[in-house]
Amino acid sequence: MEKLTAQDGLYSNRLFKTYRDNSGYLWIAGINGVAKYDGFHVVNYTEHSDSLNRYIRGNRFYDVIQDKSNHIWVGGSSGLHKLDASENTFKQVAPNTIKNVQLLHLLNDSTLGVSCGNKRNYEINCTTNSFVETSEGARITSVIVDNSGSVWKSTSDGLIIYDDQDTVLDFETAVSDICFTPNGDLYVGSSNGLIIVPQSELGKENKALKRITESGEKYKLTNNDVTTVEYYQGQLWVGTRVGLNLLQLNKNGQISEILHLYNQPNDPYSLSNNQINDIYTDSEGIIWLSTYGGLNKIDPQHLWFSSYRYNPEDSNSLHDNNIFPIDGDTLGNVWFGSYRNGLAKLNTRTNIFTAFNSKTGVDIKHVRYIYTDNKNSIWIVADNKLFLTGNTDLSSVNIIDKAGENYPHGFITAIVQHPDGNYWMGIGEDIVELERISERGFQVLHVYTEDIGYVIRFFVDSFGRIWGGTNKGLLLIKPEKGTFLKFDTNNQPAFRTNQIQAINQDSNGNLWLGSVDGLYKVANDSIFQNALEKIKFQGFFEENGLTHNYVSGILPGENGVLWLSSWKGIMKYDPECIRLCRFIPFTFSDGLIDEKYNRNAIYRDKKTNTYYFGSVNGVNYFNPLKEFKTMVLPHVLINRVVLNGDLVEVNNNESEIVATIRKRRIIDQLKVEFGSSSLLSPNKQVFAWKLEGQDKKWTFTRNRELVIKDITPGAYTLKIRAASKEGNLGAPVFIPVVVRSNFRWYVIFGLLIILTLGLVLSLRNNKHEIEPKPKEKKYEFSKLTDDKSAQTAKRLSEIMRDDKPFLQADLTADKLAKMVDISVGELSQILNEYLQTRFYEYVNKHRVKEFICLLQTPEAEKLTLTALSEKCGFTSKSTFYRAFKNEKGITPAQFAKSLKEKS
């Protein structure tokens, strides 16, 4: 499961409640604050607010809810709070009366129910904020509505109240939460275990109850103190003070199994903490767990990868974690070779591992290659020896040449069997063709010693042709003629490298290559079928959507789909998608155990449709049939807009225009941080953006941060929208951008001077004195004193001098503020008010100084002026020239020329 903690920007790890609002934001209440989360960005509301953290009074918040008019309400130890959307801050409601709010619930479209720790309850008018006290006389702990529309309330005194009438149940123990299952059974979480009231017993006076505790005989809980219960799609989640319980219910609604889940220090996918305070299922079916160690997320659309790893305490585990080759046979066995600990066989029908290494009396360590031939024989290359496997043993293979002498085969790199029955091996930098003459005896037919490099992977295509990926390019072997065709960087313009390490065909017959620098494809057309010497490969790289250019493995799926292992997780390639959407990334949040996956460590079991990928940290396996479904296009949520290092106000209403930008002269950098109304699989969501007036086409991206540089004078509209894998675009949000030219400003400025002089003369003639209106201070509420500003400005100057962060091309105000240990707002204030400059002017000033220093070094004679400027942090020639001229009054070329004349 995924996690959100203080390390991700959350105000605290100790959480009590979550709630999903109508816009798609997740609200998180806990100790020291409340947060709003869009899947990537966190906005905190705390008592200690600044330019980034919004304000709410108090430090313990127990519940959060949204009313029918879209107001956000928060209850906590300091009372009841309502979000003022115009100021984006919380304001307290009835602070002198309503205190220590524990629970919020909607009574109707205009009324909010409030339950407090002092057993006082209130009804609040959501529009006027007026309130009246009600007469329950107990602290309400949960409120639910059954299938008939009746309201059920549980209390801290152990009562369950039905439709505000008589008590129907009295458990004489504190009740924390209640829920119904579809068959009408009532589940009650209490301080003394989980109580089950069957639907058939609800109307009886003497009810036959069932109770599950930590000491139960058939079913047990992790702890008796149940804090929360939640039903979703045949499963009942039960949180306790010590662990999580997952109750699997059968078709009749009866318990068939209980799984216990705990925090496991060595498992990053386990619970972040054992104390479960709340379980909440949102409108998208995502389950959120509020714990004392952060927020846990169970995403129903995640394609969870399972894993095999070495466990020294488990005799039936993978024999080693560093897995290189993987292959399988037709008997349902999967074979795993390790770098230093031999071989293991997994019987997938019994799920039992059998190891072949020194611990089991088999003297092998380094397994380099595993191959299953057409007769279901398993070939093992280990410790520079060649073996064939039996049911329980490994037997050496005997290879002889045409003269009957032993043929040296100490360094076998790859093996394949041709449909004609002969075998092909890469031995050293030779390719050898062999025929089988006995059960474990083989004879060399031909040896090819051309300059072909060593073979990393063989592949027989659907036409019976043998391909070989080598460290010197791609080979096509023609067995009938004993000749080769070679494809490398000399005859394939798309190739960026000659090291080809993965080869396969998709279900449409297209040939794919994985390399150390890119993925390559040749279409299954008439040229591929009949004129191979004319084929040209198409390349795919990170700029086309790959997570990493190092592609270590390729496995085909259905309908042209590919599954790719790489040095940055696993990818799915879907040809039915468009552009960037074709490559779908899978990461640690999907259950991956590593980022880097080894070459030749791939296998697809066609019978079970199970895919295996080996890494240095174990093996991942999965079945794509359980993959997530296509979701409805979400809305784009704008979180922050930064113009030249300064924050731009973002509208928090429902208008499509979320911000407006007007700027004189060229915009150096516009940065927009945005999120999505969907929290399902956020790393797989795709967005499209376009700066109308400059761009003709949409740019597709998975990043939630958009940076546009060097926007010249003109009128533009920035549009951002969600995109589906088929290329459909969702509703856009708009940011109008107007950049005025200098000429226009000079005309306006001249007119202003004339008008000002006229006004002054008029005032003198009338002899009136006008009291000037005080200028509104931008930082009126800032906590920065003059002394602190001076100290911070000095520290900023020292960091710029000693650490030279301006050399980073992607330096932002956020990054610089963190280096100085201040907020972005405080950095902006110091630059604007104390140093009388702006972020990019300040940074570019230091870059210009650095450029001048470099210009006087021997290195300057070897590089162009533009190349020198890039070493100083500039990414654009126009920005560099403009910044230099603003600083020195002349161009960089003129300055360089004057330096040479002086020397």
Side-chain angles (χ1 to χ4, degrees):
M1 60 186 74
E2 295 180 70
K3 298 176 183 178
L4 180 70
T5 67
Q7 292 182 340
D8 304 301
L10 199 59
Y11 56 85
S12 168
N13 282 336
R14 294 188 289 176
L15 311 177
F16 292 118
K17 206 82 168 186
T18 55
Y19 182 86
R20 191 84 179 272
D21 71 17
N22 295 335
S23 297
Y25 288 109
L26 182 75
W27 291 85
I28 308 163
I31 294 180
N32 291 331
V34 176
K36 182 174 70 171
Y37 179 57
D38 70 352
F40 273 81
H41 309 99
V42 176
V43 177
N44 291 320
Y45 296 79
T46 66
E47 196 164 37
H48 305 288
S49 62
D50 54 28
S51 60
L52 293 181
N53 295 307
R54 306 300 182 178
Y55 178 76
I56 187 170
R57 180 177 175 271
N59 54 24
R60 294 178 73 91
F61 302 96
Y62 302 113
D63 205 358
V64 56
I65 200 170
Q66 184 179 40
D67 65 28
K68 298 298 182 181
S69 299
N70 295 328
H71 300 120
I72 300 296
W73 298 80
V74 171
S77 58
S78 54
L80 181 64
H81 307 265
K82 183 179 181 181
L83 180 65
D84 185 335
S86 62
E87 298 182 12
N88 198 16
T89 188
F90 280 92
K91 294 186 177 179
Q92 206 160 355
V93 176
N96 297 324
T97 305
I98 302 177
K99 300 177 181 180
N100 195 17
V101 175
Q102 303 281 314
L103 179 73
L104 303 173
H105 58 99
L106 290 178
L107 297 171
N108 53 53
D109 289 354
S110 60
T111 308
L112 179 72
V114 178
S115 182
C116 301
N118 57 6
K119 298 186 178 182
R120 303 183 74 170
N121 299 282
Y122 302 88
E123 293 182 359
I124 311 293
N125 185 300
C126 297
T127 303
T128 64
N129 297 347
S130 59
F131 62 93
V132 294
E133 188 172 353
T134 58
S135 58
E136 282 89 347
R139 180 171 67 84
I140 300 171
T141 56
S142 66
V143 179
I144 60 172
V145 180
D146 65 19
N147 293 333
S148 66
S150 298
V151 178
W152 297 70
K153 299 178 182 178
S154 65
T155 72
S156 59
D157 294 339
L159 307 179
I160 293 183
I161 305 170
Y162 170 70
D163 247 1
D164 292 329
Q165 301 299 318
D166 296 331
T167 299
V168 294
L169 291 173
D170 186 351
F171 295 104
E172 298 181 353
T173 183
V175 174
S176 58
D177 201 4
I178 55 176
C179 79
F180 279 102
T181 56
N183 68 343
D185 291 346
L186 177 66
Y187 284 79
V188 180
S190 77
S191 58
N192 194 25
L194 180 68
I195 304 169
I196 306 171
V197 186
Q199 190 273 339
S200 59
E201 299 293 321
L202 284 174
K204 297 179 180 179
E205 184 174 350
N206 297 316
K207 299 174 177 60
L209 308 179
K210 300 178 182 178
R211 190 185 297 266
I212 302 176
T213 66
E214 61 185 39
S215 57
E217 294 183 3
K218 185 175 181 181
Y219 299 118
K220 297 180 180 181
L221 294 181
T222 56
N223 183 258
N224 282 343
D225 196 349
V226 176
T227 55
T228 175
V229 292
E230 180 85 353
Y231 173 85
Y232 183 68
Q233 293 189 345
Q235 297 176 324
L236 188 77
W237 298 82
V238 179
T240 73
R241 297 288 180 188
V242 187
L244 177 66
N245 303 265
L246 175 56
L247 281 64
Q248 302 285 0
L249 306 183
N250 60 25
K251 294 181 180 179
N252 298 321
Q254 304 303 308
I255 300 172
S256 61
E257 183 183 15
I258 296 183
L259 301 177
H260 295 164
L261 304 173
Y262 297 96
N263 169 257
Q264 304 289 343
N266 296 324
D267 184 357
Y269 308 111
S270 67
L271 285 174
S272 55
N273 188 272
N274 285 330
Q275 179 164 328
I276 313 298
N277 295 320
D278 182 58
I279 303 174
Y280 170 70
T281 305
D282 68 19
S283 56
E284 293 186 295
I286 301 173
I287 298 174
W288 302 92
L289 309 174
S290 299
T291 79
Y292 257 20
L295 185 66
N296 292 166
K297 174 186 178 185
I298 302 175
D299 190 333
Q301 284 200 348
H302 268 169
L303 176 61
W304 278 93
F305 286 73
S306 300
S307 61
Y308 294 120
R309 301 185 67 193
Y310 171 63
N311 182 356
E313 298 179 358
D314 184 359
S315 59
N316 188 42
S317 72
L318 192 63
H319 66 305
D320 193 9
N321 280 333
N322 196 354
I323 301 301
F324 273 79
I326 305 176
D327 208 350
D329 59 34
T330 58
L331 300 177
N333 299 312
V334 182
W335 299 79
F336 305 96
S338 75
Y339 184 79
R340 63 180 181 273
N341 205 20
L343 180 71
K345 178 182 70 174
L346 171 66
N347 186 321
T348 58
R349 292 167 298 178
T350 62
N351 206 34
I352 293 177
F353 282 94
T354 303
F356 300 82
N357 51 30
S358 58
K359 294 180 180 179
T360 59
V362 181
D363 189 21
I364 62 170
K365 293 181 180 179
H366 182 191
V367 179
R368 181 180 294 115
Y369 205 85
I370 303 175
Y371 174 70
T372 305
D373 66 18
N374 299 339
K375 293 186 177 182
N376 205 39
S377 297
I378 311 297
W379 297 69
I380 308 294
V381 179
D383 301 329
N384 295 327
K385 298 176 184 178
L386 182 60
F387 302 91
L388 281 173
T389 64
N391 291 328
T392 59
D393 62 346
L394 300 178
S395 301
S396 297
V397 173
N398 183 36
I399 299 178
I400 60 173
D401 58 21
K402 292 181 179 181
E405 302 293 331
N406 287 333
Y407 187 84
H409 52 276
F411 188 69
I412 297 176
T413 59
I415 305 171
V416 75
Q417 186 179 18
H418 191 266
D420 65 11
N422 288 342
Y423 294 84
W424 294 74
M425 295 184 183
I427 303 179
E429 294 199 353
D430 298 338
I431 291 180
V432 180
E433 182 182 7
L434 308 96
E435 67 173 345
R436 196 167 198 160
I437 57 177
S438 66
E439 184 66 24
R440 301 188 183 279
F442 297 83
Q443 185 174 39
V444 174
L445 296 179
H446 299 96
V447 179
Y448 302 93
T449 59
E450 288 88 346
D451 182 25
I452 55 178
Y454 64 86
V455 180
I456 302 171
R457 186 84 174 178
F458 279 122
F459 176 74
V460 179
D461 68 17
S462 55
F463 300 99
R465 301 174 299 205
I466 301 176
W467 299 82
T470 79
N471 65 325
K472 293 186 178 181
L474 175 69
L475 296 177
L476 172 63
I477 304 170
K478 297 183 176 181
E480 70 283 356
K481 296 182 180 180
T483 59
F484 299 87
L485 275 180
K486 189 172 184 179
F487 306 90
D488 56 23
T489 52
N490 294 320
N491 55 38
Q492 293 295 316
F495 281 13
R496 293 183 180 179
T497 179
N498 284 330
Q499 183 159 320
I500 308 299
Q501 54 197 20
I503 312 174
N504 220 317
Q505 276 181 293
D506 62 29
S507 60
N508 297 321
N510 303 311
L511 187 73
W512 293 84
L513 312 176
S515 77
V516 297
D517 196 359
L519 176 71
Y520 301 94
K521 169 192 173 183
V522 62
N524 181 22
D525 53 19
S526 58
I527 294 177
F528 178 70
Q529 296 170 21
N530 304 302
L532 286 167
E533 64 279 355
K534 296 181 180 180
I535 65 174
K536 295 295 180 183
F537 283 87
Q538 176 188 1
F540 299 86
F541 309 97
E542 290 177 16
E543 56 265 33
N544 305 117
L546 288 181
T547 57
H548 200 285
N549 284 336
Y550 188 103
V551 179
S552 51
I554 303 173
L555 290 174
E558 305 296 331
N559 303 316
V561 167
L562 295 176
W563 293 91
L564 311 169
S565 58
S566 75
W567 272 13
K568 196 172 183 181
I570 292 172
M571 295 169 281
K572 175 188 176 184
Y573 171 80
D574 190 341
E576 296 183 359
C577 302
I578 64 160
R579 303 180 191 177
L580 182 77
C581 306
R582 290 177 181 170
F583 293 96
I584 302 171
F586 294 88
T587 63
F588 288 112
S589 64
D590 296 293
L592 298 192
I593 54 177
D594 209 329
E595 276 196 329
K596 293 186 177 181
Y597 287 82
N598 296 325
R599 67 189 189 196
N600 289 327
I602 55 171
Y603 171 64
R604 178 191 179 192
D605 186 338
K606 295 181 180 179
K607 289 185 178 180
T608 62
N609 201 43
T610 302
Y611 291 67
Y612 297 84
F613 298 93
S615 73
V616 297
N617 202 28
V619 175
N620 275 121
Y621 66 96
F622 74 102
N623 187 327
L625 295 178
K626 300 177 182 178
E627 190 185 359
F628 60 87
K629 306 297 182 183
T630 302
M631 64 181 182
V632 178
L633 281 176
H635 301 292
V636 173
L637 305 174
I638 301 297
N639 289 294
R640 199 157 66 132
V641 179
V642 183
L643 176 67
N644 292 346
D646 294 330
L647 292 175
V648 175
E649 182 179 354
V650 175
N651 299 326
N652 291 312
N653 52 37
E654 297 180 359
S655 171
E656 292 179 337
I657 299 177
V658 295
T660 301
I661 293 174
R662 298 184 183 276
K663 185 77 170 70
R664 182 174 61 85
R665 304 195 325 176
I666 294 174
I667 293 177
D668 289 327
Q669 178 170 292
L670 172 63
K671 183 172 75 170
V672 180
E673 296 177 0
F674 59 92
S676 160
S677 63
S678 174
L679 299 179
L680 288 168
S681 305
N683 64 320
K684 297 176 183 61
Q685 294 179 23
V686 177
F687 301 88
W689 66 271
K690 178 169 63 173
L691 186 63
E692 285 194 347
Q694 175 177 294
D695 304 325
K696 294 182 179 180
K697 296 182 179 180
W698 291 92
T699 297
F700 291 83
T701 180
R702 283 196 175 91
N703 294 329
R704 305 296 182 99
E705 183 176 291
L706 168 63
V707 177
I708 306 176
K709 296 185 177 181
D710 299 326
I711 304 177
T712 57
Y716 310 90
T717 301
L718 177 61
K719 294 183 178 180
I720 309 174
R721 55 208 314 186
S724 72
K725 66 177 186 179
E726 296 83 9
N728 300 321
L729 299 179
V733 295
F734 301 92
I735 301 180
V737 179
V738 178
V739 184
R740 299 187 181 91
S741 66
N742 284 334
F743 176 76
R744 188 185 212 181
W745 173 253
Y746 291 150
V747 172
I748 295 173
F749 186 68
L751 291 173
L752 287 174
I753 291 176
I754 294 172
L755 290 173
T756 302
L757 289 174
L759 180 62
V760 170
L761 291 174
S762 174
L763 290 173
R764 283 182 176 178
N765 290 336
N766 292 327
K767 296 182 180 181
H768 288 306
E769 291 185 2
I770 300 177
E771 185 71 25
K773 183 179 179 180
K775 186 179 178 181
E776 183 180 350
K777 294 183 180 180
K778 183 177 180 181
Y779 304 102
E780 182 178 357
F781 300 103
S782 171
K783 298 178 182 179
L784 276 177
T785 62
D786 290 343
D787 288 343
K788 186 177 180 181
S789 295
Q791 293 172 1
T792 306
K794 181 181 178 182
R795 186 165 71 254
L796 173 63
S797 177
E798 291 170 348
I799 289 173
M800 296 294 280
R801 180 194 65 206
D802 300 336
D803 299 339
K804 297 186 177 182
F806 55 83
L807 298 181
Q808 304 174 23
D810 60 347
L811 181 66
T812 63
D814 284 349
K815 292 181 180 179
L816 187 57
K818 289 178 181 178
M819 293 179 189
V820 188
D821 196 23
I822 57 176
S823 70
V824 176
E826 290 172 332
L827 176 64
S828 177
Q829 180 181 351
I830 288 169
L831 292 174
N832 296 349
E833 289 197 339
Y834 193 82
L835 299 178
Q836 297 295 304
T837 185
R838 292 183 176 274
F839 175 73
Y840 280 101
E841 292 174 358
Y842 180 74
V843 171
N844 287 338
K845 179 178 180 179
H846 284 81
R847 288 171 175 167
V848 168
K849 286 182 180 180
E850 184 71 13
F851 172 82
I852 293 172
C853 293
L854 286 180
L855 199 58
Q856 302 175 64
T857 64
E859 186 179 13
E861 299 177 3
K862 304 175 185 178
L863 298 173
T864 64
L865 296 180
T866 303
L868 272 179
S869 72
E870 290 174 353
K871 284 183 168 291
C872 302
F874 287 105
T875 58
S876 164
K877 182 178 179 179
S878 59
T879 301
F880 163 56
Y881 269 69
R882 185 171 63 253
F884 193 94
K885 193 169 183 179
N886 287 342
E887 191 68 25
K888 294 298 179 182
I890 58 176
T891 67
Q894 292 170 335
F895 186 85
K897 184 179 179 181
S898 66
L899 276 183
K900 288 183 178 180
E901 291 173 353
K902 290 179 182 179
S903 60

